[in-house]
Every structure is written in structure tokens, then in C-alpha cells.
Amino acid sequence: MTRNLTTAAIAVLAVALPVSLLAQKPMQTGMDHGAMMNDPSNPYAKAEADMHMRMMAVKTGDAAEKWTRKMIEHHRGALAMSRVAIAQASDRETKRMAQMTIDKQEKDIAEMQGWLRSHGKPAQ
């Protein structure tokens, strides 16, 4: 049995969901990381593509271990992007926030690595 949305249900969704979500195209199953890395207007392209590929490569463990491993890669992506900001941004406040991010993410990664080890899992 299939269910069709009524006009009223569609109207409720249209009001409840942000317009930006309704306008988005569905995410493609295969992201073109090569195109992402070759975008000359984005100094963060390589860090973003690397982070996404490493997060998607995590296949080991239950939900807790996978989350931890994916978050480690997510935080490593934040480190890489923060290093780009420190090297290339001209705004002093941005550089300060990027350094704060590095300090925090390194601590978070160490904590997650510790969780893996304490649960008999190899760190990454």
C-alpha cells in the first residue's frame, strides 16, 4: 500500500521545513571529490574532500565505534581547514578562532582515541 501526500500535508510540510531544504537537490551517492579539490576559489577544497573520503571509508565496528572513527576524521578535517585559515586568512580574529579550533579539536581527537583504546579498539 502506498501513501500519497494530500495537498494539506504538503502545505504543512512547506510551512514546517525551511525553504532552503525544500529547494535542495537530493545528495548524489557518489560525490565528485576530484572536482571539489580542483576548485580554485576554495582554499579548503582539499581538506574538505579528504575529510569526506576518510569519513565515508569508516566501515569497522558498531554504531559507537563508527561514530568515534568518523568524528575523528571530521575533527581532523577541522584541523586541516583551520591550518589553511591561519596560513591564508588576513583577518586576525579568524586566525585566532582557527587556532582555538585547533587546540580544541586536538583535545577532542585525543579523547576519542582514548575511548577506542579503552574499548580494546586500535586507535587511528
Side-chain angles (χ1 to χ4, degrees):
M1 176 178 175
T2 60
R3 294 184 182 190
N4 294 323
L5 290 176
T6 65
T7 305
I10 292 170
V12 168
L13 287 173
V15 171
L17 294 174
V19 174
S20 62
L21 289 177
L22 294 172
Q24 289 179 357
K25 294 180 184 176
M27 186 173 187
Q28 298 175 359
T29 55
M31 294 180 72
D32 186 356
H33 292 102
M36 288 171 63
M37 290 192 321
N38 293 322
D39 179 0
S41 68
N42 182 2
Y44 305 99
K46 181 174 179 355
E48 292 168 344
D50 288 349
M51 177 187 67
H52 286 289
M53 288 190 309
R54 288 183 181 133
M55 287 177 68
M56 296 303 294
V58 172
K59 307 290 183 205
T60 304
D62 63 6
E65 182 180 356
K66 283 180 182 162
W67 176 86
T68 303
R69 293 188 182 284
K70 287 177 181 285
M71 288 306 294
I72 288 170
E73 296 308 331
H74 180 70
H75 283 45
R76 285 178 174 162
L79 289 173
M81 289 189 294
S82 294
R83 289 182 181 119
V84 170
I86 288 171
Q88 296 185 26
S90 58
D91 180 68
R92 180 184 295 160
E93 182 70 5
T94 299
K95 289 179 182 241
R96 183 191 66 76
M97 290 186 295
Q99 185 58 57
M100 284 179 32
T101 298
I102 289 170
D103 297 342
K104 175 76 167 105
Q105 300 297 318
E106 286 176 342
K107 288 177 186 173
D108 290 346
I109 290 169
E111 180 180 358
M112 288 183 270
Q113 296 284 23
W115 182 92
L116 288 169
R117 285 189 296 276
S118 73
H119 287 80
K121 314 285 184 194
Q124 65 187 50

